[in-house]
Amino acid sequence: MRVVIRYFFRTLRLILTPFVLLSEKLGGGKPLERSGEEQQKVNSACENLALYQFKTCPFCVKVRKQIARLNLNIEKRDAQHNATHRAELEQGGGNVKVPCLWIKNEDGSVQWMYESSHINAWLDQRFGKVG
């Protein structure tokens, strides 16, 4: 019975994957516009961020849409197919759970933020205001 359930969900995932990725491409909306100087500052701040993610995870898609909407250049690290990124996530964050935002603070300390709603709220608070 366990095998049947596993194959059912694998099949369901295979069927839904194109729709999840298509929704990301079509539902992003217009990116936030900033002046050249403001965007430069945002890009500089984004150098201390990385998103550990799985390509087809709906919660990761939710965060990637927020990143696109806020016009952020955040490095995306594939923790599903890249063993190095997966090991970094497990060792640094404590478990392999995505999405996870890696944040390097000004004092050099590192923060691992899980949960798409927390990540999106933090990104909006940090980068959502223009001017």
Side-chain angles (χ1 to χ4, degrees):
M1 184 65 163
R2 193 179 260 176
V3 173
V4 172
I5 293 171
R6 182 178 296 151
Y7 280 110
F8 170 77
F9 282 109
R10 279 187 184 170
T11 303
L12 186 62
R13 227 178 290 135
L14 284 172
I15 292 168
L16 292 178
T17 294
F19 296 105
V20 169
L21 295 175
L22 185 62
S23 78
E24 180 181 4
K25 296 295 179 196
L26 298 178
K30 187 177 178 187
L32 187 65
E33 291 185 25
R34 298 181 183 89
S35 70
E37 184 178 313
E38 288 175 331
Q39 188 63 46
Q40 188 91 2
K41 288 178 185 176
V42 167
N43 290 345
S44 179
C46 287
E47 290 176 3
N48 294 319
L49 303 173
L51 178 68
Y52 287 84
Q53 47 117 28
F54 294 173
K55 182 75 173 163
T56 58
C57 166
F59 299 104
C60 297
V61 170
K62 180 180 170 183
V63 173
R64 290 195 308 261
K65 281 182 173 182
Q66 177 79 331
I67 288 170
R69 187 184 70 75
L70 293 173
N71 199 12
L72 304 174
N73 295 321
I74 296 176
E75 178 186 358
K76 294 164 192 79
R77 297 179 180 172
D78 184 356
Q80 185 173 18
H81 301 291
N82 185 310
T84 303
H85 291 156
R86 186 180 192 90
E88 288 171 358
L89 178 60
E90 186 171 23
Q91 185 177 18
N95 55 25
V96 180
K97 181 180 171 191
V98 292
C100 180
L101 186 65
W102 175 85
I103 305 165
K104 184 176 180 184
N105 297 309
E106 290 181 17
D107 64 3
S109 65
V110 173
Q111 179 182 353
W112 299 82
M113 183 180 295
Y114 290 96
E115 301 298 330
S116 59
S117 57
H118 294 145
I119 294 169
N120 282 351
W122 186 86
L123 290 172
D124 193 50
Q125 179 190 17
R126 176 82 167 84
F127 299 107
K129 297 162 187 64
V130 178

